[in-house]
């Protein structure tokens, strides 16, 4: 008589152990992926900070050779200041916040591009070793930014895929809002359109 009751208790205990193990494994997996996203976000911010740190030296160098290009220099300085004012704790948690962050960074990229175009008109600037070194560092930093953004998107995709997969999707509601879906960097508007070239 005691044997069937013992079997039922053992089966229930086994089911509870399996559910507990699955829940713990799911939680730990989400934590690991969430930390991966946070770590990759730090790398994105690091690359953008490197670029922001180059701007004052670049502006000072151009200013010395092309002082009457006030409008361009002011645009670069203002764009950098705007980027510095944006507070983005965990921007990747909210697509709208990430888009604001990206828009400010894109504005700085555009201003820097205009600055480099202006520099073409000044041969003494093109011969300045300091300017050439800064320009090279800026180009390298832009490449790093692109790489880090891609790695961030990959980390966010891995997290979002795990979060939306079975059985994780069943458990994710039990956890705190720490495991909300992560936002992605998007291409600039119009990036899919080929530029018009005329000769």
């Amino acid at each position: 008589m005691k044997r069937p009751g013992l079997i039922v208790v053992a089966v229930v205990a086994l089911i509870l152990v399996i559910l507990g193990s699955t829940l713990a494994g799911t939680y730990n997996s989400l934590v690991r992926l969430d930390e991966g996203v946070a770590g990759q976000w730090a790398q994105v911010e690091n690359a953008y900070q490197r670029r922001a740190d180059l701007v004052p030296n670049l502006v000072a160098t151009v200013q010395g050779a092309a002082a009457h290009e006030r409008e361009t220099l002011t645009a670069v300085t203002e764009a950098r200041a705007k980027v510095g004012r944006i507070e983005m704790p965990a921007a990747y948690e909210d697509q709208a916040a990430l888009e604001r962050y990206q828009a400010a960074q894109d504005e700085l990229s555009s201003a820097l591009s205009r600055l480099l175009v202006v520099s073409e008109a000044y041969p003494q600037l093109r011969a300045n070793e300091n300017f050439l070194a800064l320009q090279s560092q800026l180009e390298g930093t832009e490449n790093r930014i692109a790489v880090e953004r891609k790695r961030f998107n990959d980390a966010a995709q891995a997290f979002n895929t795990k979060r939306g997969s079975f059985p994780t999707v069943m458990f994710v509601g039990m956890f705190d809002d720490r495991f909300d879906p992560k936002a992605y960097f998007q291409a600039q508007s119009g990036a899919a359109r080929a530029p018009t070239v005329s000769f």
Side-chain angles (χ1 to χ4, degrees), residues 13-178:
L14 181 64
I15 289 171
L16 289 175
V17 166
I18 290 171
L19 280 174
S21 296
T22 302
L23 184 61
T26 297
Y27 183 84
N28 291 338
S29 173
L30 285 174
V31 167
R32 187 179 66 256
L33 291 170
D34 185 57
E35 288 300 317
V37 172
Q40 194 52 51
W41 175 250
Q43 288 302 105
V44 168
E45 288 185 317
N46 184 31
Y48 277 128
Q49 184 60 52
R50 177 176 163 75
R51 179 177 68 177
D53 292 344
L54 289 173
V55 170
N57 291 335
L58 190 61
V59 167
T61 303
V62 172
Q63 198 169 24
H68 65 279
E69 294 292 345
R70 283 265 176 241
E71 184 179 320
T72 304
L73 295 170
T74 301
V76 170
T77 304
E78 287 175 356
R80 182 187 184 274
K82 186 175 182 180
V83 165
R85 285 191 302 266
I86 294 178
E87 292 191 24
M88 299 308 295
Y92 54 86
E93 297 288 349
D94 176 20
Q95 188 67 44
L98 185 62
E99 287 171 6
R100 285 191 303 274
Y101 183 80
Q102 184 175 345
Q105 294 293 349
D106 290 346
E107 187 177 325
L108 179 56
S109 292
S110 177
L112 286 170
S113 293
R114 287 193 309 273
L115 180 67
L116 294 177
V117 166
V118 163
S119 72
E120 296 290 329
Y122 298 93
Q124 73 276 19
L125 191 56
R126 300 298 302 157
N128 182 318
E129 288 182 30
N130 189 31
F131 175 78
L132 294 175
L134 288 167
Q135 185 179 18
S136 176
Q137 288 179 38
L138 184 61
E139 289 168 359
T141 300
E142 291 295 335
N143 289 336
R144 286 182 186 152
I145 288 169
V147 167
E148 296 302 344
R149 282 174 47 151
K150 184 204 179 305
R151 288 178 180 164
F152 171 81
N153 278 351
D154 291 345
Q157 180 184 19
F159 176 87
N160 290 339
T161 300
K162 175 68 176 177
R163 185 187 183 280
S165 298
F166 184 82
T168 307
V169 72
M170 293 175 42
F171 298 126
V172 82
M174 294 181 201
F175 307 136
D176 57 18
D177 60 356
R178 172 182 183 181

